[in-house]
Each structure stands twice: as structure tokens, then as C-alpha cells.
Amino acid sequence: MPNTTIIDGLDGLRALAGQKLGASEWKQLAYEDIVRFAEATGDFQWIHVDRERCQRESPFGVPIAHGYFSVSRIAGLFFEIVDIRGFGLVLNYGLNKVRFPAPLKAGARYRLSLELKELKDIPKGVEALMLATLEIEGEAKPACAAEVLYRFMTA
């Protein structure tokens, strides 16, 4: 990716603390993506998969992505934003706070933006608290806002 932020080892990571790391390319949410997620999770609530009922009864008019679909895109888009070098391993350690302020509608375009909020030393590495925002093109509120923890292991 041309706008990828390079994180080069521990010193490079420390230099980025408190900064925005960038944003992924825009993606378009296809209805088929929502259905595949429903099949993978077993969550077939009508607001996600029933186009006709959504048109009749949903305030959104179209199917919307599962909240967990939105949060799962963080891991998938993370490496579009950062190019990590000089670490033996990078682990997704979990999430603190997660919110879904706006629905991600079928057909909408979205992207992930990341900010490296703070770092904490841990044995054999650093734990990074990142603010991950799944933005929706043309919308004031994001589909997902989460505090994500990654562990950058040096050995």
C-alpha cells in the first residue's frame, strides 16, 4: 500500500506513540459479505439477511452488517495501514471498549483508521493501545469505535 505507515522495531513504534497511523483503502460492503458472516456465526437475524423485510420494516431500509462483522474488519484491515518490521511476532491481545455508533449498511463504503494511543512495556515486548475506527463514507458517526490491544514481541 502506498500510504502504509512503517513501524520499524521498538524505537520506530515508540516514535509513533500518540499519533494517527493512517487509514485503509475504502471497501464496499456487499450484501453477500453480510450473508457469509451470518453463515460463519449462525446469526441470521432478519435485520442482517432479509432484504425484503428490511425494506418494509427496518429504519435503515437495507440489511446492515453485524456489529461483530464491523469489529472483525479491524484485524483484516490492520495490515493495510501498517508495515511492521523488526518484531518476532505481533499478537492481537484483545479489546477494551467497543461501540457501534452507526449501522454499516449494505452497499456502503467503509475504511479503518488507526491511532496509536499509548505503549506499555511487557516482558519481551510492548503492548500497544490503539484506537480503531471503522468509518463510513459520508456519515458523521463510525460503524465501530474500539480500543484494541496489540502485543509487539521482540523475542
Side-chain angles (χ1 to χ4, degrees):
M1 298 257 107
N3 296 321
T4 303
T5 297
I6 296 171
I7 298 174
D8 196 0
L10 199 49
D11 290 337
L13 183 63
R14 290 189 196 286
L16 293 168
Q19 295 184 37
K20 293 186 179 192
L21 300 179
S24 69
E25 297 293 324
W26 289 103
K27 310 289 182 202
Q28 186 156 16
L29 177 62
Y31 170 73
E32 293 76 18
D33 295 332
I34 297 171
V35 171
R36 278 193 293 277
F37 192 83
E39 290 169 349
T41 62
D43 181 353
F44 291 95
Q45 184 183 16
W46 68 268
I47 202 159
H48 304 302
V49 296
D50 190 332
R51 286 175 161 162
E52 291 77 22
R53 188 170 176 188
C54 284
Q55 200 170 28
R56 286 191 321 269
E57 299 177 34
S58 168
F60 313 117
V62 295
I64 61 170
H66 303 70
Y68 289 120
F69 173 91
S70 297
V71 78
S72 74
R73 295 303 292 142
I74 295 169
L77 297 173
F78 180 80
F79 290 102
E80 280 193 19
I81 299 170
V82 295
D83 178 0
I84 299 170
R85 303 172 184 174
F87 290 95
L89 184 64
V90 178
L91 298 171
N92 175 348
Y93 190 62
L95 302 157
N96 286 340
K97 183 177 175 183
V98 179
R99 298 289 182 266
F100 306 111
L104 181 56
K105 300 174 187 176
R109 287 174 28 109
Y110 64 93
R111 71 178 179 184
L112 177 67
S113 64
L114 283 178
E115 179 182 342
L116 177 54
K117 190 71 174 168
E118 60 186 50
L119 297 170
K120 179 175 86 174
D121 290 326
I122 58 171
K124 299 183 182 179
V126 172
E127 185 174 278
L129 173 66
M130 297 198 186
L131 303 181
T133 306
L134 197 69
E135 303 169 345
I136 305 169
E137 189 175 47
E139 297 287 333
K141 293 182 181 179
C144 180
E147 293 180 355
V148 185
L149 297 170
Y150 285 94
R151 288 197 162 179
F152 292 76
M153 309 307 293
T154 56

